[in-house]
Amino acid sequence: MEANALEIADALTQVRDLQDEPGRAAFVQLIGEALGAPLFVPSATSPKIFLYNLVRACLDQVGGMDALLRAVDFLAGSTHAAALVRRHAGPARELLQPAAEVRIKEVLQGLTLPSLARIHHVAAGTAVAASPPRLEDAWQAFCILLDTNTGPDGVPPHLLFVELLIRALDREAASDAPRPHAAGSAARLRIWMAGELDALRAEGAEAVVEQLERIRSEKELQVVKNDLPIHLIIQLEPVDGRTPGRSEIRVSHWRQFHPFEWRPVRGTDRIVAREDVHDEVRALVQEAEGGWANQLDDSLVLEFVLPYGLLHLAPDEWTRDPPAEPYPTPLGTEYEVIVRSYERMYDLTMHRAWRQRWRVLLEAMECLVHWPEGDRPAEPHRFRNRLMSQRNVVACVLGSPPDREPGRTQLRMAIRTGVPVVLWDRGEIPIKELRDVLSEVIERPDMRSLPTDLKRLRRERSVAAESSAGVDSVSLIFDDPAHFLDEVQRFRPPE
């Protein structure tokens, strides 16, 4: 136990409040209060020796180490230093052999990813251990999870974390701009995990090994991006006849923060007056920025699920700034703002054609865009026939906004035939000018990054003081069939 006391004392020296004498005195007092009796610690001029004496004093007391950990949690909370103390002083010490600890620390120390906090959150599951406001690196997250209770499935959270981290690094290595050493780190973690799985088998924990191997072999959902961003999904539904003389909207919302799978968590619905919808959306975005999304470094995407009757709204022009802000920032320049079809999401008879065209978009090989035919009168049958005959048409530009013809009919036909991407200008810009503006982001085989590209285009034109006509007034439906909500039955192939 003496060697353990040295390690704990060394870890305590990294706690900021213990680096001066008043802080150390308060620490001793906190431990004494937790014990219910004063703790006597031999004095020493060297802070490290004093902390060693303190640890020995706690080891000699019944419940002394528990009291020390409670005092550390009070002073240092979820910091890297506190995690290190718990690592050496808590029950988690028995979970990792010294040689295995050295190897995993070499890989994880200094390793960061945008989705690190979300991977930690998923690995922790329903455990009460909270992640700090900012994780310094993967090693800090690993140390915290070592001290987190195993969930009902029996899988140790720190091992689940490593498996998820391997998946994230694999994605990173396969991306167009991989971070340095992503592939090498993933390979080293696989070797380390192989040793841990062998140790679990030797202990007879075959069920845990099978669950971890199943996680590794799971086929992931096809996604547009290597890292699934965090999402705030907002659904608007008219509520008629509830209050006489008052037009109302039900505002539902979901939060999506799982790093690999689409698992949106529903929030509380609210019914508001139609004229108050913008204020309700503002409050939801502000709640995300100041709360659940605040600790995550990933980009936040806003999805609006709208029925036909509300597609005239322009959520990309709304703002999260307070009404008194003289120069509010539009949501469309701050976030990727995506509109989705309410009717198609909830009508399963439309899903097969929708999935087929989305698959073409994901393959990024021969994606085509349908443009209105100049000044020719709209011909609905001709429009529909072209969509039906060309299955690689994945995007459609409407001839007008969908609250009037021909855009109204064109939108319904595009939705009905499974076209996942639909754009229209809410103003009066001629189609030729609109095409000149948007061609760089949609007239290409690969349209997977269209929401990001549209946001970038808006920002660039704003900075360059160019005319933003055809950009700021463009609505975008970018409808991923894998992004189901809790009322929609997830697609399963026939057995």
Side-chain angles (χ1 to χ4, degrees), residues 157-365:
H158 68 288
L159 296 183
L160 176 57
F161 173 78
V162 174
E163 280 292 352
L164 296 175
L165 192 59
I166 291 172
R167 184 185 293 190
L169 289 169
D170 284 343
R171 282 187 168 193
E172 184 71 34
S175 68
D176 294 334
R179 294 169 186 265
H181 315 303
S185 296
R188 294 173 68 188
L189 289 177
R190 279 193 177 86
I191 295 171
W192 185 88
M193 274 297 295
E196 294 300 297
L197 294 180
D198 288 343
L200 287 172
R201 289 190 185 94
E203 296 170 3
E206 287 291 342
V208 174
V209 173
E210 289 178 4
Q211 289 188 65
L212 287 167
E213 289 180 336
R214 192 179 306 119
I215 291 169
R216 181 177 298 186
S217 62
E218 278 181 352
K219 179 177 176 58
E220 298 181 42
L221 291 172
Q222 277 192 304
V223 294
V224 174
K225 301 182 179 181
N226 289 318
D227 288 321
L228 190 60
I230 54 177
H231 285 68
L232 171 61
I233 306 103
I234 300 173
Q235 178 175 283
L236 306 181
E237 300 172 88
V239 181
D240 297 325
R242 181 172 174 270
T243 305
R246 175 182 163 101
S247 178
E248 295 179 317
I249 301 290
R250 175 183 287 108
V251 182
S252 308
H253 74 281
W254 291 258
R255 299 174 295 167
Q256 158 63 30
F257 47 80
H258 194 287
F260 306 113
E261 299 175 3
W262 184 260
R263 297 182 183 178
V265 178
R266 184 164 191 159
T268 303
D269 292 3
R270 288 199 61 196
I271 296 179
V272 301
R274 185 178 291 257
E275 59 269 21
D276 294 334
V277 167
H278 182 187
D279 290 336
E280 183 66 17
V281 169
R282 176 190 290 113
L284 288 172
V285 178
Q286 286 290 73
E287 178 188 35
E289 289 289 6
W292 62 270
N294 180 261
Q295 298 182 10
L296 308 175
D297 293 331
D298 304 60
S299 299
L300 176 61
V301 176
L302 305 182
E303 289 194 356
F304 290 87
V305 182
L306 305 179
Y308 287 132
L310 295 179
L311 284 172
H312 64 280
L313 297 176
D316 55 285
E317 293 184 354
W318 296 347
T319 181
R320 68 181 177 96
D321 294 329
E325 173 63 42
Y327 301 104
T329 301
L331 294 178
T333 59
E334 191 170 6
Y335 307 97
E336 295 176 24
V337 177
I338 297 170
V339 176
R340 306 190 61 203
S341 168
Y342 175 94
E343 283 79 9
R344 180 161 58 187
M345 179 176 292
Y346 294 104
D347 186 347
L348 296 180
T349 66
M350 299 188 194
H351 285 204
R352 185 169 61 86
W354 181 18
R355 290 194 307 272
Q356 289 173 344
R357 292 193 194 261
W358 184 258
R359 192 175 301 117
V360 174
L361 186 148
L362 289 180
E363 291 171 353
M365 295 293 290

Side-chain angles (χ1 to χ4, degrees), residues 8-9 12 18 24-25 27-29 31 39-42 48-60 64-65 68:
I8 297 170
L12 286 172
L18 299 183
R24 293 190 291 273
F27 188 55
V28 173
Q29 185 175 351
I31 296 174
L39 179 70
F40 172 74
V41 180
K48 182 174 287 191
I49 294 176
F50 176 83
L51 291 172
Y52 171 77
N53 291 339
L54 184 150
V55 173
R56 291 300 304 268
C58 288
L59 289 170
D60 292 339
M65 292 309 297
L68 182 145

Side-chain angles (χ1 to χ4, degrees), residues 120-130 145 148-153 155 157 160 263:
H120 173 274
H121 176 86
V122 172
T126 57
V128 297
L145 290 169
T148 301
N149 292 331
T150 299
D153 59 2
V155 177
L160 176 57
R263 297 182 183 178

